[in-house]
């Protein structure tokens, strides 16, 4: 619980900087939505966590759905940023693919967003109830898969990946395998499944390397 003194200081600071206010609301909401779920997280939860009033929040967002979508966009950008970061560090296509696998392993210990993978968390919850938010989840998933496809295509052109692989199929299975490993590890509260998944992917990466 935020003390009255801290709450007053936060409100005073936010009132002087509307953009900072909006960023803070989104940042704090990200952890709540990704941990508790979108439906289970109320505006009251967000007011308590931010120290702001409902009126202050709704000055920046038209409704809770607007806040949810803005927050997911924030999480998506953070995830894509980390994705690009790990890819750029490696030189060859096989090294980049392995770096992506290791990146997913960090979810078990140090997730990019508190609560784990936003694709899994939002994708399952919004499948039938929130089509717009679910579309944003699909867009993020497609972006990540497109990145893997691009790595494979570049790898083929540079002679690092075998020419006979089905790029789209491999990329889809690659992402699905990692997300499945994350899900099992989260359910079982153990990294074992994800570690096995990554070991298996390491062998697959070796098998397609030229």
């Amino acid at each position: 619980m935020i003390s009255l003194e801290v709450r007053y200081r936060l409100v005073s600071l936010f009132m002087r900087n509307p953009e900072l206010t909006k960023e803070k609301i989104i940042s704090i909401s990200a952890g709540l939505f990704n941990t508790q779920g979108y439906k289970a997280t109320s505006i009251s939860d967000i007011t308590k966590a931010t120290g702001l009033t409902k009126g202050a929040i709704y000055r920046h967002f038209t409704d809770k759905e607007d806040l949810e979508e803005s927050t997911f966009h924030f999480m998506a950008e953070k995830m894509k940023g980390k994705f690009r970061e790990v890819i750029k560090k490696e030189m060859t296509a096989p090294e980049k693919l392995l770096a992506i696998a290791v990146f997913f392993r960090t979810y078990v210990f140090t997730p990019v967003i508190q609560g784990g993978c936003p694709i899994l968390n939002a994708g399952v919850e919004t499948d039938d109830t929130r089509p717009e938010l679910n579309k944003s989840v699909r867009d993020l998933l497609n972006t990540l898969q497109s990145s893997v496809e691009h790595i494979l295509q570049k790898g083929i052109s540079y002679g690092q990946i075998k020419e006979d692989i089905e790029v789209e199929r491999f990329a889809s299975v690659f992402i699905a395998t990692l997300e499945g490993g994350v899900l099992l590890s989260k359910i079982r509260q153990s990294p074992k499944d994800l570690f096995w998944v990554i070991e298996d992917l390491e062998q697959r990466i070796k098998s397609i390397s030229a």
Side-chain angles (χ1 to χ4, degrees):
M1 180 68 68
I2 298 177
S3 69
L4 289 176
E5 181 180 356
V6 173
R7 184 187 180 99
Y8 175 77
R9 290 178 179 176
L10 285 172
V11 172
S12 298
L13 175 62
F14 291 159
M15 288 180 66
R16 292 195 299 269
N17 192 327
E19 191 58 36
L20 177 61
T21 307
K22 186 173 184 177
E23 291 175 2
K24 194 69 175 179
I25 293 170
I26 290 175
S27 178
I28 292 175
S29 296
L32 292 174
F33 287 140
N34 208 42
T35 302
Q36 300 177 178
Y38 289 82
K39 186 176 180 180
T41 301
S42 66
I43 291 297
S44 294
D45 292 330
I46 295 169
T47 60
K48 290 177 183 177
T50 59
L52 298 171
T53 64
K54 289 183 180 180
I57 290 173
Y58 285 131
R59 276 198 291 272
H60 298 279
F61 306 94
T62 56
D63 51 30
K64 185 168 179 273
E65 290 186 1
D66 182 28
L67 173 57
E68 290 173 354
E69 290 169 12
S70 296
T71 300
F72 184 82
H73 178 72
F74 164 79
M75 290 191 282
E77 290 304 310
K78 287 201 69 171
M79 189 169 181
K80 287 188 287 187
K82 291 296 293 184
F83 212 70
R84 288 190 293 266
E85 183 181 314
V86 299
I87 290 172
K88 286 182 178 179
K89 289 180 180 179
E90 307 300 334
M91 297 298 295
T92 69
E95 289 171 348
K96 290 178 185 292
L97 293 173
L98 182 57
I100 292 171
V102 173
F103 163 68
F104 271 79
R105 186 175 65 192
T106 63
Y107 276 140
V108 179
F109 304 106
T110 54
V112 176
I113 303 293
Q114 180 185 354
C117 180
I119 294 176
L120 284 175
N121 294 339
V124 172
E125 184 179 357
T126 64
D127 186 21
D128 298 317
T129 58
R130 292 290 313 283
E132 287 301 317
L133 185 55
N134 191 258
K135 180 182 181 302
S136 296
V137 177
R138 292 198 307 273
D139 289 343
L140 173 57
L141 182 60
N142 290 338
T143 296
L144 299 186
Q145 180 171 327
S146 294
S147 296
V148 175
E149 291 177 11
H150 180 71
I151 290 170
L152 291 168
Q153 289 164 347
K154 284 290 186 180
I156 292 171
S157 65
Y158 291 143
Q160 300 165 353
I161 298 292
K162 293 178 180 177
E163 295 182 356
D164 60 348
I165 72 161
E166 297 178 63
V167 170
E168 183 180 2
R169 179 175 180 174
F170 185 94
S172 177
V173 172
F174 184 80
I175 294 295
T177 302
L178 287 170
E179 289 287 359
V182 172
L183 178 60
L184 290 179
S185 290
K186 183 174 182 179
I187 292 172
R188 291 176 172 152
Q189 296 294 302
S190 168
K192 181 172 62 177
D193 293 287
L194 185 55
F195 285 0
W196 284 342
V197 160
I198 293 173
E199 287 176 4
D200 184 68
L201 286 178
E202 287 177 355
Q203 296 304 313
R204 294 190 190 187
I205 293 169
K206 288 179 181 178
S207 72
I208 66 168
S209 299

